Amino acid sequence: TGQHWRRALQLLGDMSDKQLVPDRKAYTGAIDACSRAANAANLASAQEEAAAAAAAARSLLQVMHEQKFAPTVFSYGMAIAACARARQPDEALRLLAEMRTEDVERWPNGPLKPNLVILNSCISACNLAGRWQEALGLLQEVTSPDSKSFGGAIGACARGGSWEWALELFGRMQAKSLAPDNVMLSAIISVCSRARKWQASLLFLAEMRRGVGVSPSVLQYNEAISACDQALEWQWALWLLRDMPAGEMHPDVITFGAAISACDRARQWVLALELHEEMQQQQLKPNLITFSLAVGACRKKLASLLSAARQGTEEPSDAQRKKLL
């Protein structure tokens, strides 16, 4: 199992001490254990452990070559998967190139041909590093890409800030009738939000609401509201905020902060103050950002009323006085 990869390496060493020669199956089993360990460590956010397991897998591949045990596609696949999980795209791509090398001494029966699992692992490695150009190149090599292929490439584009390619790949995926998952849609919403493509963020949020087997989370709503904030679309920001309870979701401090910011940018200062008050009524503790926005909205509205009063164009209502005070 993934928890006993060091034990697997120790057993290989014990075989040599007892004058037993490990065969291809023994080395492949040890590489598989290292790959499982890297996956478990990655899930536990233990990157040093994942890196150590990936390094061991690569070392075992080298020993297999030295012992004239030509590694199989499965052996390389497990080692490449370990590198991907250890967030080592350079090593994953190096192993991919190595298995393809036209080297008679290394590959007497010809180089190995990477399968879908291996290419997906390399795309995943590029995804974690935001190396979207390389992910796109690998995707083009896949004869019949699946949801994982597209998901990794879309994730890489999202991490790399290439929203155009993220949307392009999503369109190609739909053309193949492949269903997106929550992680993929979240990545698209995120990159569109960062690129201030608020319409696209709303579109994909609606796609999730229509039912693709997943439901939007608070995080995705926060991303979409932030996109509306950046685009000065305060009405849409408020609409999203009010739409959340329909999906049985509760806004958090970040949600209110983005909505308050949208109102502040649009000079809707009274609304910003009302949202700040509503947030506290929902037992949410304001953070420094939301508090600063509320104070700023109050100051700006006061300045606006004072300016209007001096010009004789506006007189604050009793409700406005009460809210500002």
Side-chain angles (χ1 to χ4, degrees):
T1 65
Q3 297 177 344
H4 300 110
W5 66 280
R6 287 188 172 86
R7 178 59 178 161
L9 297 182
Q10 183 179 350
L11 288 173
L12 279 178
D14 290 344
M15 291 180 69
S16 299
D17 293 340
K18 295 179 181 181
Q19 297 183 341
L20 297 174
V21 180
D23 59 10
R24 178 182 292 153
K25 289 184 178 180
Y27 282 111
T28 301
I31 292 173
D32 186 25
C34 293
S35 181
R36 293 173 184 270
N39 183 48
N42 178 50
L43 293 175
S45 299
Q47 287 306 308
E48 289 187 5
E49 180 74 0
R58 295 194 302 272
S59 178
L60 288 170
L61 277 181
Q62 182 61 34
V63 173
M64 289 183 73
H65 282 295
E66 293 172 354
Q67 297 296 326
K68 304 302 180 182
F69 293 132
T72 63
V73 171
F74 179 80
S75 304
Y76 265 90
M78 290 299 97
I80 288 172
C83 293
R85 290 156 183 164
R87 301 172 185 263
Q88 297 175 336
D90 288 330
E91 293 296 342
L93 296 177
R94 182 184 66 78
L95 291 179
L96 177 64
E98 183 178 288
M99 66 184 292
R100 291 168 156 174
T101 302
E102 294 285 351
D103 187 335
V104 177
E105 182 176 350
R106 183 181 290 270
W107 306 115
N109 297 321
L112 300 178
K113 183 178 180 180
N115 56 24
L116 175 63
V117 174
I118 290 177
L119 291 174
N120 279 352
S121 291
C122 290
I123 291 173
S124 177
C126 293
N127 172 14
L128 295 174
R131 293 163 62 164
W132 61 275
Q133 296 97 329
E134 289 164 292
L136 291 178
L138 291 165
L139 183 63
Q140 290 180 347
E141 296 185 34
V142 182
T143 304
S144 300
D146 57 11
S147 295
K148 189 173 182 179
S149 311
F150 278 106
I154 288 173
C157 292
R159 290 176 185 272
S162 181
W163 64 272
E164 301 97 331
W165 269 108
L167 296 183
E168 169 68 21
L169 293 180
F170 182 79
R172 295 183 186 181
M173 186 176 175
Q174 284 188 312
K176 293 180 177 292
S177 299
L178 295 174
D181 60 15
N182 191 298
V183 174
M184 186 187 307
L185 291 173
S186 180
I188 294 174
I189 292 173
S190 177
V191 70
C192 289
S193 298
R194 295 198 307 271
R196 301 188 179 186
K197 302 300 178 181
W198 64 276
Q199 299 98 327
S201 296
L202 296 184
L203 176 64
F204 281 95
L205 200 60
E207 184 79 12
M208 298 179 77
R209 287 293 300 273
R210 274 199 298 269
V212 291
V214 293
S215 299
S217 66
V218 174
L219 174 62
Q220 279 119 32
Y221 268 93
N222 289 349
E223 292 279 9
I225 293 174
S226 294
C228 294
D229 170 24
Q230 295 294 324
L232 303 180
E233 294 290 339
W234 64 275
Q235 298 98 328
W236 277 107
L238 291 182
W239 184 88
L240 290 171
L241 177 66
R242 301 308 178 203
D243 184 60
M244 293 181 71
E248 299 183 351
M249 282 173 293
H250 301 287
D252 58 16
V253 174
I254 297 175
T255 315
F256 274 103
I260 291 171
S261 176
C263 292
D264 179 60
R265 289 174 186 269
R267 302 170 66 87
Q268 300 296 319
W269 298 306
V270 174
L271 277 175
L273 293 172
E274 289 176 348
L275 288 174
H276 191 265
E277 182 178 340
E278 180 183 339
M279 178 177 63
Q280 296 177 81
Q281 290 173 351
Q282 295 189 18
Q283 307 301 314
L284 293 174
K285 185 178 180 180
N287 57 24
L288 180 60
I289 295 175
T290 58
F291 187 78
S292 298
L293 286 170
V295 171
C298 185
R299 178 178 56 79
K300 292 170 186 175
K301 184 59 180 177
L302 281 172
S304 174
L305 290 173
L306 287 172
S307 176
R310 291 191 186 101
Q311 298 174 15
T313 58
E314 183 178 357
E315 182 68 20
S317 66
D318 292 339
Q320 287 177 327
R321 288 193 183 95
K322 182 178 179 182
K323 180 65 65 178
L324 293 170
L325 292 175

